């Protein structure tokens, strides 16, 4: 099932509801990059609350989305990483790199509203 | 010993299926939240290695028993090209497949026991176990 991408002002919100295959994650990445251009979005929020695993591929893809978005003029915030998932990511040695994270959608939107200069680089 | 549950791995959707089956078996055995995430993630990593490097293989899931310990046993098997240098492949950040290079070493950190056997031209077997905390 492809992930719905909603537009909220100048922010795109992709809420992942079911486990994604590698191909589906790559499609999400392509669609987001495409939509940033079409909608001139300044921010992307990816909600992973429903995911019970973020493995090395998913993490690499999220990093790719964030870098790709930044090159297109938008910032990315990943929200809703579950505590157990975060623990597994740390054990695996994964690091989200420059991807910003937030606990929920409100925090994510607040993060995107901050001027880029003062926004955390993480 | 119980019969293993076998999940054929031939495409990326099978990676999701394998980790969900592993998580379900682990939950049934009594593993709790963070261990479930660790087990599912480790299965995801070794299943992806099968798809990326060998194209096809299988994951066997079963109950592990040793003395009075119980846990989950996961075996990933493929008849792929094999790994010429296992020691190197077990090092963080080493990858020939364009990935982060955390799959095998990461899976080893997530599980309690981890063994890998690989022969060039024959294939690779990864055996992992995690024990239920007492």
């Amino acid at each position: 099932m492809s992930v719905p991408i909603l537009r909220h002002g100048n922010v795109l919100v992709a809420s992942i509801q079911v486990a994604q295959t590698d191909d589906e994650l790559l499609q999400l990445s392509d669609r987001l990059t495409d939509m940033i251009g079409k909608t001139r979005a300044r921010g992307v929020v990816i909600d992973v609350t429903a995911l019970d695993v973020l493995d090395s591929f998913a993490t690499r893809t999220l990093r790719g989305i964030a870098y790709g978005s930044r090159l297109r003029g938008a910032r990315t915030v990943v929200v809703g990483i579950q505590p157990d998932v975060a623990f597994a990511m740390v054990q695996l040695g994964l690091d989200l790199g420059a991807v910003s994270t937030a606990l929920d959608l409100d925090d994510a939107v607040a993060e995107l509203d901050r001027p880029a200069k003062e926004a955390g680089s993480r | 010993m119980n019969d293993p549950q076998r999940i054929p791995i031939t495409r990326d959707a099978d990676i999701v299926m394998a980790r969900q089956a592993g998580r379900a078996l682990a939950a049934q055995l009594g593993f709790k939240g963070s261990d479930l995430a660790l087990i599912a993630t480790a299965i995801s990593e070794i299943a992806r290695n099968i798809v990326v490097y060998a194209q096809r293989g299988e994951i066997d899931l079963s109950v592990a028993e040793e003395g009075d310990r119980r846990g989950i046993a996961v075996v990933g098997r493929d008849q792929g090209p094999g790994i010429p240098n296992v020691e190197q492949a077990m090092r963080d950040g080493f990858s020939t497949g364009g990935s982060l290079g955390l799959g095998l070493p990461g899976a080893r950190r997530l599980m309690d026991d981890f063994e890998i056997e690989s022969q060039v031209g024959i294939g690779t077997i990864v055996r992992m176990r995690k024990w239920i905390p007492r």
Side-chain angles (χ1 to χ4, degrees):
Chain A
M1 193 192 91
S2 73
V3 176
I5 300 173
L6 308 177
R7 190 176 170 187
H8 176 76
N10 56 8
V11 174
L12 298 176
V13 180
S15 182
I16 303 175
Q17 295 301 315
V18 292
Q20 299 286 299
T21 66
D22 297 358
D23 275 346
E24 287 167 337
L25 280 174
L26 292 176
Q27 282 166 30
L28 174 63
S29 173
D30 288 347
R31 287 168 56 223
L32 279 171
T33 312
D34 190 43
M35 275 186 76
I36 290 166
K38 284 192 180 134
T39 63
R40 306 198 156 265
R42 305 308 305 269
V44 174
V45 175
I46 302 173
D47 170 26
V48 299
T49 308
L51 296 186
D52 58 10
V53 167
L54 279 174
D55 63 7
S56 61
F57 187 87
T59 303
R60 184 158 57 104
T61 307
L62 290 176
R63 274 160 59 161
I65 290 173
Y67 286 124
S69 308
R70 176 153 287 191
L71 292 173
R72 308 269 282 167
R75 282 189 286 145
T76 301
V77 181
V78 173
V79 305
I81 298 178
Q82 295 300 305
D84 293 339
V85 173
F87 180 66
M89 289 172 72
V90 171
Q91 297 290 305
L92 196 59
L94 293 174
D95 155 15
L96 274 171
V99 181
S100 300
T101 52
L103 278 182
D104 58 26
L105 191 55
D106 282 344
D107 282 1
V109 172
E111 167 78 17
L112 289 171
D113 282 343
R114 291 163 64 199
K117 240 189 283 176
E118 66 172 79
S121 61
R122 296 195 48 87
Chain B
M1 265 309 272
N2 57 326
D3 287 335
Q5 178 186 352
R6 173 160 296 181
I7 297 117
I9 306 291
T10 60
R11 59 202 175 102
D12 66 346
D14 298 331
I15 301 172
V16 175
M17 201 173 292
R19 72 177 183 230
Q20 287 175 342
R23 189 189 183 90
L25 176 61
Q28 206 182 313
L29 284 166
F31 282 100
K32 299 284 179 259
S34 60
D35 278 343
L36 295 178
L38 298 181
I39 292 164
T41 307
I43 294 172
S44 202
E45 296 298 333
I46 66 161
R48 177 166 299 99
N49 268 18
I50 294 174
V51 173
V52 171
Y53 296 101
Q55 284 77 53
R56 57 182 58 244
E58 67 231 4
I59 301 270
D60 284 346
L61 302 168
S62 59
V63 181
E65 277 169 328
E66 201 175 81
D68 58 352
R69 296 197 294 181
R70 259 163 78 81
I72 186 168
V74 180
V75 179
R77 197 179 291 106
D78 67 63
Q79 284 80 47
I83 303 169
N85 187 339
V86 170
E87 204 184 308
Q88 193 177 41
M90 290 305 300
R91 226 177 279 154
D92 275 342
F94 180 82
S95 171
T96 59
S99 71
L100 297 174
L102 290 170
L104 290 175
R108 177 166 61 181
R109 280 194 292 275
L110 300 178
M111 301 294 278
D112 293 328
D113 303 335
F114 184 99
E115 283 167 27
I116 178 165
E117 262 175 64
S118 191
Q119 265 184 288
V120 173
I122 307 239
T124 302
I125 301 179
V126 174
R127 292 188 182 84
M128 330 188 273
R129 289 186 297 187
K130 195 165 190 74
W131 303 104
I132 299 165
R134 279 175 293 184

